[in-house]
């Protein structure tokens, strides 16, 4: 069976059966592990304690937001878990080193829908914040390809979805980031996956294999490129969504803002307060989307 349900996914994690999972190459600095399920529908990401606690706290508000805004571009969380394991020596047992321990090892992780869940091959993938400081990847790697996520300063083209869809897209983005700002969230990104194609024949509905199709999932789960007259050009298909939505502007982020502001323009670093971050993010997207 090609499809992998949540029960099978979690069962495999508990049993340590990770060979069939594809590790996702990340250019971030979080240190989290990141896996893609074999069928590509889900992503599994480990969370630090503070992000796990924040997600638990925000869930009621998150649920209300995604039900009120069915076209939301925010990450779709489908499960939040904690696995616990007792190491050798727990409960008074003597380990191979002769020591005893009652320490319990915990791994916290979230399961979410993959924004790029599609049979189409990605040509490029971008993580866009609207900041410019330390937002380069190409100049830091020997070679890059579809599995390497690029950043703001690597983007040298525009996202062409046409004026009509751009208006709808930015309207939804504005609703989403207003929600995040109200929860004191910052440092989120717009993930953009780009597929290059010349065939824009709309597939049968059952080929999409989505539970529900939003305004931004018209072609294999993505948006077909358009010109200024809203005519489909068929050059690219874009897969877009807001990711990394669990970072709050806490004491650690405030300290990062102060330190980086001593070296760089404070308006160009990623660690800024939620409201200025929201406004900059919207300005940036308005600029790069046609």
């Amino acid at each position: 069976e090609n499809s992998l349900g949540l029960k099978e996914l979690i069962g495999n994690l508990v049993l340590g059966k990770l060979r069939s999972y594809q590790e996702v190459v990340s250019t971030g600095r979080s240190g989290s592990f990141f896996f893609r399920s074999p069928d590509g529908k889900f992503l599994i990401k480990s969370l630090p304690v503070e992000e796990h606690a924040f997600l638990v706290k925000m869930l009621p508000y998150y649920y209300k937001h995604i039900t009120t805004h069915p076209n939301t571009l925010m990450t779709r969380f489908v499960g939040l878990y904690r696995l616990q394991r007792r190491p050798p020596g727990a409960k008074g047992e003597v380990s191979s080193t002769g020591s005893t321990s009652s320490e319990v090892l915990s791994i916290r992780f979230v399961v979410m829908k993959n924004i790029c869940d599609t049979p189409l091959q990605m040509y490029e993938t971008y993580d866009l914040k609207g900041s410019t400081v330390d937002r380069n990847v190409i100049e830091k790697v020997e070679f890059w390809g579809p599995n390497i996520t690029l950043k703001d300063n690597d983007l040298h083209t525009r996202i062409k979805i046409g004026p009509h869809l751009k208006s709808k897209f930015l309207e939804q983005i504005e609703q989403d980031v207003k929600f995040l700002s109200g929860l004191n969230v910052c440092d989120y990104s717009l993930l953009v996956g780009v597929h290059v194609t010349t065939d824009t024949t709309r597939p049968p509905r059952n080929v999409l294999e989505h539970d529900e199709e939003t305004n931004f999932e018209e072609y294999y789960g993505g948006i077909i490129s358009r010109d200024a007259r809203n005519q489909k050009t068929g050059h690219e298909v874009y897969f877009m969504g807001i990711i990394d939505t669990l970072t709050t502007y806490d004491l650690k982020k405030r300290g990062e803002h102060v330190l980086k502001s001593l070296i760089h323009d404070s308006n160009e670093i990623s660690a800024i307060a939620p409201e200025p971050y929201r406004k900059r993010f919207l300005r940036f997207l308005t600029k790069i989307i046609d």
Side-chain angles (χ1 to χ4, degrees), residues 118-169:
T118 177
L120 303 179
Q121 179 67 40
M122 293 300 107
Y123 174 69
E124 292 176 332
T125 306
Y126 292 90
D127 177 303
L128 305 174
K129 294 181 181 291
S131 59
T132 59
V133 175
D134 196 26
R135 300 297 294 167
N136 301 78
V137 172
I138 293 179
E139 65 180 28
K140 296 180 180 179
V141 295
E142 186 175 342
F143 62 91
W144 62 274
N147 292 328
I148 300 294
T149 301
L150 305 177
K151 296 183 179 180
D152 299 64
N153 295 336
D154 302 312
L155 181 67
H156 301 296
T157 185
R158 299 176 74 85
I159 299 169
K160 301 175 181 179
I161 59 176
H164 178 68
L165 202 53
K166 174 183 178 178
S167 176
K168 287 186 175 183
F169 184 84

Side-chain angles (χ1 to χ4, degrees), residues 169-184:
F169 184 84
L170 291 178
E171 181 180 350
Q172 183 57 59
I173 287 282
E174 187 164 6
Q175 293 289 336
D176 291 338
V177 297
K178 181 180 179 181
F179 167 75
L180 292 172
S181 178
L183 292 176
N184 198 38

